[in-house]
Amino acid sequence: MSQRQSVGAAVRAVLDAADPTDKVMRARAAARDWRLGRLDVRFDVAMPDRPARPDAPELLPPNRMPKRGRGGSERSRIALIHALAHIEFVAIDLAFDLIGRFGAQFPTGFTDDWMRVGADEAMHFALLDRRLRGLGSHYGALPAHDGLWDAAAETAHDVKARLAVVPMVLEARGLDVTPATIERFDAVGDTVTAKILTRILTDEVRHVRAGTAWFESACKAGGCNPETTWHQLVRTHFRGAVKPPFNDSAREAAGLTRDYYQALAAG
C-alpha cells in the first residue's frame, strides 16, 4: 500500500507552482485534502528560500514602483487592483510556507488555521484576477514589488518573528487601509471591486486573529510576555514603521489590542 502524501509535500507543491492558476489550484487542493484527512501529519519536506514565480509581473524594489494614483481613473483603479492581487498572490505562499516551515512545532490546529488562510488567499487572488480581466487587464500586466516575501525571508528562522511581522503587522495594516480603499471604489461606482474588498477585509480579520492567537500560544510555551516580545521582534525584523491611522475596532476583533501597537506607534 502506497504511503499517503504528507503535509510537507502538499505545501511544497504550492510553493513550487509558478503559474498563478496552478498555484491557486494546488492551494485549494492542499486545503481540501487536509480538511478531508487525506494528508499525513508529516513535515518532511524542506521549504524553498523563495517560492516559484511567473515571468510576469516584473518585480521591482518598492522605491522604483510607478505611482498608481488614487483610483479615480480606470487606469489607476486597474493599477490598484493589480497591486492588491499581487499581495494576495504572495499571501498564498506566506500561508503555506508557515505551515511547512513551522507546523511541526504546533498542535494540528495550527495547520487547520493556516490551511484555511491559504485557501482564502487563493480565493482572494482569483477574485481580483477575474476583476482585472473584466477591466481588460490581467495579473502580470504591470510591475509589482517583492516586499512581502522579503519579510518572510527575514523571519524564516523564527516562528514568533514570522507571526509578529506578517499577520500582526503587514496583514493588520490591511485592516487599517482597506475600508478607505473600499470607499474610494464605491465613490466612482465600482461596486464590484468594492464588494470583493469587503469580503477580503472580513476574511483578513480572521487571519490576523489566527496570527495573534498562535503568537500568544508560542509566547506562553516559551514563558515570555506577548506584548514586550512583539515589540522586540518588530523592532528587530520589520524595516518599516507601525503608524496610524489604525482601525482599532477591526484590530480589537482580531485580538490585536492597543497594548501591542500603541507603544510602537508612539515611538
Side-chain angles (χ1 to χ4, degrees):
M1 183 175 177
S2 61
Q3 192 175 43
R4 296 192 308 172
Q5 187 180 34
S6 69
V7 173
V11 300
R12 177 63 192 253
V14 177
L15 294 161
D16 285 345
D19 178 76
T21 301
D22 189 26
K23 189 179 292 288
V24 167
M25 291 178 62
R26 293 189 190 193
R28 289 172 170 167
R32 181 178 62 250
D33 286 346
W34 172 259
R35 186 178 69 253
L36 296 176
R38 296 173 180 166
L39 299 178
D40 279 351
V41 186
R42 289 182 287 113
F43 302 89
D44 54 349
V45 178
M47 295 299 104
D49 291 337
R50 299 187 69 81
R53 289 284 178 260
D55 293 337
E58 179 187 8
L59 298 179
L60 300 175
N63 61 4
R64 286 185 52 206
M65 286 291 294
K67 299 296 184 183
R68 291 194 301 264
R70 294 187 58 81
S73 68
E74 184 172 284
R75 180 179 178 181
S76 66
R77 282 191 288 126
I78 288 171
L80 180 52
I81 295 167
H82 190 279
L84 295 170
H86 181 66
I87 290 170
E88 299 297 336
F89 183 75
V90 178
I92 299 170
D93 289 325
L94 289 170
F96 286 99
D97 181 81
L98 186 62
I99 296 167
R101 194 174 296 275
F102 302 114
Q105 301 178 27
F106 293 91
T108 56
F110 181 88
T111 300
D112 289 339
D113 282 349
W114 296 107
M115 283 286 188
R116 282 194 292 265
V117 171
D120 285 348
E121 308 295 18
M123 181 264 290
H124 297 166
F125 170 78
L127 289 172
L128 291 168
D129 185 45
R130 185 188 308 162
R131 182 60 183 143
L132 285 172
R133 293 178 187 279
L135 293 169
S137 187
H138 62 277
Y139 177 64
L142 298 170
H145 74 77
D146 211 22
L148 277 177
W149 195 258
D150 289 343
E154 170 68 23
T155 58
H157 63 290
D158 181 348
V159 68
K160 289 198 291 294
R162 174 69 64 86
L163 293 168
V165 171
V166 175
M168 297 176 72
V169 173
L170 297 176
E171 287 199 76
R173 188 61 180 160
L175 303 183
D176 302 332
V177 302
T178 302
T181 307
I182 293 169
E183 291 178 3
R184 201 179 306 165
F185 280 101
D186 269 331
V188 296
D190 189 346
T191 57
V192 174
T193 305
K195 287 178 181 178
I196 293 170
L197 296 183
T198 300
R199 170 62 188 271
I200 290 173
L201 177 61
T202 299
D203 290 342
E204 296 295 347
V205 170
R206 182 162 40 81
H207 300 177
V208 176
R209 185 187 304 127
T212 304
W214 287 111
F215 176 78
E216 291 177 348
S217 174
C219 287
K220 182 178 180 181
C224 55
N225 177 272
E227 288 86 1
T228 56
T229 302
W230 188 79
H231 296 159
Q232 176 188 355
L233 291 169
V234 172
R235 288 188 179 107
T236 302
H237 298 289
F238 182 59
R239 298 172 187 172
V242 177
K243 57 186 179 182
F246 298 116
N247 185 346
D248 291 321
S249 60
R251 285 170 172 255
E252 183 78 27
L256 191 60
T257 64
R258 294 180 186 180
D259 291 337
Y260 280 105
Y261 57 88
Q262 276 195 327
L264 286 189

